[in-house]
Amino acid sequence: MLLQLPRHAVTILQTIAAAGGQGYVVGGALRDLLRGKTPQDWDFAATLPAATLLGIFSGAKLIGGICGTVQVPFGTTTCEITPCRAERGYTDHRHPDEVVLVSDILQDLARRDFTINAMAFNGEALFDPFGGQQDLEAGILRCVGNPAMRFQEDPLRILRLFRFMATLGFAPAAETFAAAVNAMQSLATLSPERVRAEVEQILLSPMPQVLGTLVTNGGLRGYGFKFAPQLKTFKEVPPTLLCRWWAFITQCGAKVEQVGSRFGFSARFLKDLNECTRLYHLGPAASKVELKMKLRNTLLDYAELSATFAAVNPVFIGEPVLYAAVRAKREPYRLAQLAIDGDMLRHEGIRGEKCGRILEELLKTVIKDPALNQGPVLMGLAEGLKQLL
């Protein structure tokens, strides 16, 4: 099979060959090429040790340990080249006990997780010992070799299975899925950082609803996810981490603080998640005035949140339309949108708590009648309020 490779990929293969080795396009780059797509990331395998790779490529640097990956820059593209290797034993269910460099690409492919990732292309021929191309065409995710053993070696492969389901839209082979479900408890051995990285890729994918299957089978029980209803509308939630994390947590019976603590969310992200919950619990607004009153103390983007709430609960279905109308006419609903500010009031001798109270009253006034949001008009109203508040 002859696949069309870009210049930088051909250069890498030729440079490896000139140094006495054999290079191969592997991983996601090869999957994309076989599906007629342009790869965004380029991964290569080579029958040369990392030290040699570092010597033959200008600007190369080691990023994966003594037997690991070498990163090579090509203009705006960064390529990663990993020496062909075989792995033996996974005592800690993460790292191989022994790594051996090999000169046979078939040995290297045999250590990989799924058949669609266990193919290699050397510029002239496709190496596919496990039927990866057939599974790729059929949209099937199948483990290389014994699936139970693959997941026992590294439980992160369970999450990778769900990530490929979500990002590629593929279905797992029956034996692969059964082995993944049977090994779900082993996800507890993974670091929260590794789990979070995979979950977030799924959350931002075109099919985030596959997380429901993961939760249903106990995959995230240790993070506070208790149950998973059918997440049919989850994909309608805007693909931002804030919106999709909030929807995921809310729909699966988890608590923001517990999930945030286990996954190590930043204080700012936790604050934003809690603000989403506060706005949601205020309920749907029935008019533009109600909506603006609801939003007067938030800084979050409500275009995204209103779509999120509507996807999670149909009672909010009218809010995206209301908010679009507010934005279209640039109607003010925040203090920062008032035509006057605190400095202007202080210049007129209005200070302290009274200044804050007057600004709040003026905001409520222009929320009800946006036409009043003019400097002279508001200053006149402030003068009157100064005697009352």
Side-chain angles (χ1 to χ4, degrees):
M1 171 178 287
L2 185 60
L3 296 172
Q4 191 68 35
L5 297 179
R7 183 179 298 275
H8 74 270
V10 173
T11 299
I12 285 178
L13 296 180
Q14 290 176 342
T15 303
I16 293 172
Q22 181 69 60
Y24 305 88
V25 180
V26 295
L30 183 53
R31 284 201 317 270
D32 286 342
L33 287 172
L34 289 170
R35 298 172 70 211
K37 298 181 179 297
T38 301
Q40 300 300 309
D41 301 301
W42 284 90
D43 296 312
F44 298 81
T47 59
L48 295 174
T52 302
L53 294 171
L54 288 169
I56 63 176
F57 288 104
S58 177
K61 63 179 180 179
L62 188 67
I63 62 171
I66 193 64
C67 295
T69 300
V70 171
Q71 192 177 76
V72 179
F74 273 89
T76 59
T77 302
T78 299
C79 304
E80 295 186 355
I81 311 172
T82 303
C84 292
R85 65 185 188 268
E87 300 171 348
R88 302 189 181 110
Y90 286 79
T91 303
D92 65 356
H93 302 291
R94 177 180 177 185
H95 304 97
D97 297 332
E98 184 181 9
V99 175
V100 181
L101 297 184
V102 297
S103 59
D104 183 359
I105 186 62
L106 299 183
Q107 287 184 267
D108 182 87
L109 297 178
R111 71 177 175 82
R112 296 175 182 262
D113 49 10
F114 306 109
T115 60
I116 63 170
N117 295 331
M119 297 181 286
F121 180 64
N122 66 358
E124 298 178 355
L126 179 70
F127 295 79
D128 181 15
F130 305 104
Q133 187 177 11
Q134 182 178 343
D135 285 343
L136 190 65
E137 292 173 354
I140 294 175
L141 296 166
R142 190 189 314 276
C143 279
V144 172
N146 185 315
M149 184 178 298
R150 288 284 96 111
F151 294 134
Q152 183 182 31
E153 289 170 348
D154 186 355
L156 190 70
R157 289 169 174 164
I158 299 171
L159 294 177
R160 283 171 58 82
L161 174 69
F162 281 87
R163 170 156 61 88
F164 288 131
M165 290 166 59
T167 57
L168 300 177
F170 286 12
E175 67 278 8
T176 293
F177 184 72
V181 171
N182 289 337
M184 282 292 181
Q185 70 280 359
S186 63
L187 291 178
T189 66
L190 297 173
S191 70
E193 293 78 14
R194 297 182 86 200
V195 175
R196 178 179 173 181
E198 293 292 331
V199 170
E200 289 189 343
Q201 289 186 71
I202 298 172
L203 282 172
L204 297 180
S205 76
M207 295 180 61
Q209 62 269 29
V210 304
L211 283 168
T213 304
L214 184 66
V215 172
T216 298
N217 288 283
L220 296 177
R221 187 174 293 119
Y223 294 87
F225 291 88
K226 300 176 182 178
F227 57 85
Q230 288 189 326
L231 304 179
K232 293 180 179 179
T233 60
F234 199 3
K235 62 183 178 181
E236 297 174 15
V237 173
T240 69
L241 283 177
L242 178 64
C243 290
R244 289 203 168 170
W245 264 121
W246 182 85
F248 183 41
I249 292 169
T250 300
Q251 290 190 282
C252 294
K255 301 294 183 183
V256 167
E257 296 299 333
Q258 182 181 2
V259 174
S261 175
R262 290 286 284 117
F263 279 122
F265 290 165
S266 68
R268 171 62 184 273
F269 193 63
L270 274 174
K271 180 180 179 182
D272 287 348
L273 285 171
N274 283 319
E275 175 66 357
C276 292
T277 301
R278 184 187 73 83
L279 291 170
Y280 180 76
H281 286 161
L282 289 176
S287 66
K288 288 198 297 181
V289 170
E290 281 188 26
L291 182 60
K292 289 184 288 183
M293 288 295 289
K294 173 180 174 177
L295 300 180
R296 69 185 189 278
N297 294 319
T298 189
L299 297 177
L300 297 182
D301 182 345
Y302 204 66
E304 295 175 346
L305 277 186
S306 62
T308 300
F309 295 165
V312 169
N313 189 337
V315 301
F316 285 88
I317 199 69
E319 282 206 340
V321 176
L322 285 177
Y323 186 67
V326 169
R327 290 190 65 177
K329 294 187 177 181
R330 298 183 180 181
E331 297 182 15
Y333 60 88
R334 292 173 178 155
L335 288 174
Q337 296 171 312
L338 285 177
I340 65 172
D341 58 23
D343 287 341
M344 297 172 69
L345 293 183
R346 283 187 284 273
H347 183 72
E348 297 298 321
I350 304 173
R351 294 181 173 83
E353 293 183 2
K354 181 174 286 191
C355 179
R357 291 198 300 269
I358 288 176
L359 286 173
E360 284 290 341
E361 288 302 316
L362 293 176
L363 178 60
K364 293 176 183 177
T365 298
V366 299
I367 280 176
K368 295 175 182 176
D369 188 351
L372 297 177
N373 193 30
Q374 302 175 47
V377 173
L378 294 183
M379 289 304 297
L381 293 173
E383 281 296 320
L385 289 170
K386 181 170 64 173
Q387 310 302 323
L388 299 175
L389 297 177

